[in-house]
Amino acid sequence: ISNLEAETMRQGEQNRELVQTVEVMTDEANTVWYVVGTKEELLERGIIREEGGSRVLFIFGKRGQTLVPARTVDPTMFTAADQRTLSYIPLPAAEEGDEAKWSVITPQDLAVVGSPLDERGRVLGDALSITDPQQFWANSRYLIVVQS
């Protein structure tokens, strides 16, 4: 009987450890990161970079460059959140008289965004509403939103 009691206690401890491990792994699997800012801020912080484009005669700089995420991502520069509870990301207000337009430059599925979008797929207004977190975060755990 004492051997069975010891075995029961050992297995109970193993079960508690397994439950704790599953909880930690679930939390890690549901952690997502996002950052919101202007093009200048995010370029300066090294979160995004410009790619492509071509030089036009007599115009300094390049035309047609595309914003893309940086090749290496530092999670400390992002806000961490749990995708199971994150359904709303506030966006800073635009300057007075302007309507804020926000471009999502990471590969999230914008079909499940509840916020209004313009014809170019930019988010309008002061918040990004997510209606289906699983589908929205399926392509990338990182979200970068740039003010257009």
Side-chain angles (χ1 to χ4, degrees), residues 12-26:
E13 182 60 33
Q14 276 185 330
N15 286 344
R16 283 188 287 282
E17 289 174 7
L18 287 172
V19 166
Q20 187 177 23
T21 300
V22 168
E23 287 174 356
V24 168
M25 291 176 69
T26 301

Side-chain angles (χ1 to χ4, degrees), residues 22-33 80-88 130-137 141:
V22 168
E23 287 174 356
V24 168
M25 291 176 69
T26 301
D27 288 345
E28 287 176 3
N30 284 295
T31 300
V32 293
W33 297 267
D82 187 332
Q83 74 171 348
R84 297 169 292 185
T85 59
L86 181 68
S87 61
Y88 177 87
I130 302 166
T131 58
D132 183 352
Q134 289 292 334
Q135 187 174 345
F136 183 79
W137 295 103
R141 292 278 183 224

Side-chain angles (χ1 to χ4, degrees), residues 22-90:
V22 168
E23 287 174 356
V24 168
M25 291 176 69
T26 301
D27 288 345
E28 287 176 3
N30 284 295
T31 300
V32 293
W33 297 267
Y34 69 90
V35 66
V36 176
T38 65
K39 175 182 171 182
E40 293 77 22
E41 290 172 348
L42 298 178
L43 281 170
E44 184 179 307
R45 292 172 56 191
I47 295 172
I48 61 172
R49 61 189 173 85
E50 293 179 310
E51 196 172 79
S54 61
R55 298 211 181 271
V56 178
L57 192 61
F58 302 116
I59 297 178
F60 296 101
K62 286 186 173 182
R63 305 277 298 159
Q65 289 184 317
T66 303
L67 294 176
V68 295
R71 294 195 188 274
T72 57
V73 179
D74 180 5
T76 62
M77 296 182 143
F78 290 74
T79 301
D82 187 332
Q83 74 171 348
R84 297 169 292 185
T85 59
L86 181 68
S87 61
Y88 177 87
I89 298 173

Side-chain angles (χ1 to χ4, degrees), residues 77-144:
M77 296 182 143
F78 290 74
T79 301
D82 187 332
Q83 74 171 348
R84 297 169 292 185
T85 59
L86 181 68
S87 61
Y88 177 87
I89 298 173
L91 303 172
E95 293 182 20
E96 193 172 318
D98 288 339
E99 181 180 25
K101 293 181 181 178
W102 301 89
S103 297
V104 175
I105 65 167
T106 46
Q108 269 70 24
D109 185 355
L110 297 181
V112 294
V113 169
S115 303
L117 303 174
D118 70 2
E119 66 281 350
R120 293 177 57 197
R122 295 179 296 189
V123 178
L124 304 174
D126 61 351
L128 175 66
S129 173
I130 302 166
T131 58
D132 183 352
Q134 289 292 334
Q135 187 174 345
F136 183 79
W137 295 103
N139 295 329
S140 176
R141 292 278 183 224
Y142 290 89
L143 170 67
I144 301 174

